[in-house]
């Protein structure tokens, strides 16, 4: 079995009591990929950007420093990373509400497999509120679906 982990880290300056360190995030990511049989994992990149966002492209998962500061615990980060890994494993090449719900559901299964609590992780979606976009359903709707 071959696993590829390419991690590119930018400097993370965090003043929030809830912030996730890049080391904690990488540890969760490695556990998620190993436990879920993802043989060739996308590169995990931390991008210096205050937007609370994470994204997946063909061979890369990018987590903004704004997201690192926004998560309150490891369960929330496991849901974020599980969601992005699910986009990768499901072959999503664009964001639609249907893809977001599918990635939420699969990502929740991925995180539960390594002992994280999907209900605790989903609290983050609830904090995002009722504002959605053309590509992403409202956080409250996603929370209820999980």
């Amino acid at each position: 079995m071959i696993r590829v982990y390419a991690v590119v880290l930018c400097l993370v300056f965090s003043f929030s009591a809830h912030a996730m360190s890049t080391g904690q995030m990488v540890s969760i990511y490695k556990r998620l990929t190993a436990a879920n049989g993802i043989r060739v994992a996308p590169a995990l990149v931390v991008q210096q950007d205050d937007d609370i966002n994470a994204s997946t492209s063909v061979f890369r998962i990018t987590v903004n420093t704004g997201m690192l500061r926004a998560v309150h615990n490891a369960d929330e980060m496991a849901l974020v990373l599980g969601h992005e890994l699910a986009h990768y494993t499901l072959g999503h090449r664009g964001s639609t509400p249907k893809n977001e719900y599918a990635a939420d559901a699969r990502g929740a299964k991925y995180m539960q497999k390594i002992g994280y609590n999907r209900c605790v992780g989903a609290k983050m979606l609830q904090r995002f509120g009722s504002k959605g976009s053309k590509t992403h359903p409202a956080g409250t709707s996603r929370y209820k679906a999980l």
Side-chain angles (χ1 to χ4, degrees), residues 39-79:
R39 292 176 171 221
V40 179
L44 180 60
V45 178
V46 177
Q47 179 173 300
Q48 187 70 38
D49 188 328
D50 290 334
D51 285 343
I52 300 171
N53 194 29
S55 61
T56 304
S57 59
V58 178
F59 293 109
R60 180 174 67 191
I61 291 175
T62 303
V63 179
N64 289 354
T65 52
M67 179 63 81
L68 288 172
R69 287 189 297 272
V71 297
H72 287 189
N73 53 56
D75 294 286
E76 290 180 359
M77 181 52 73
L79 182 64

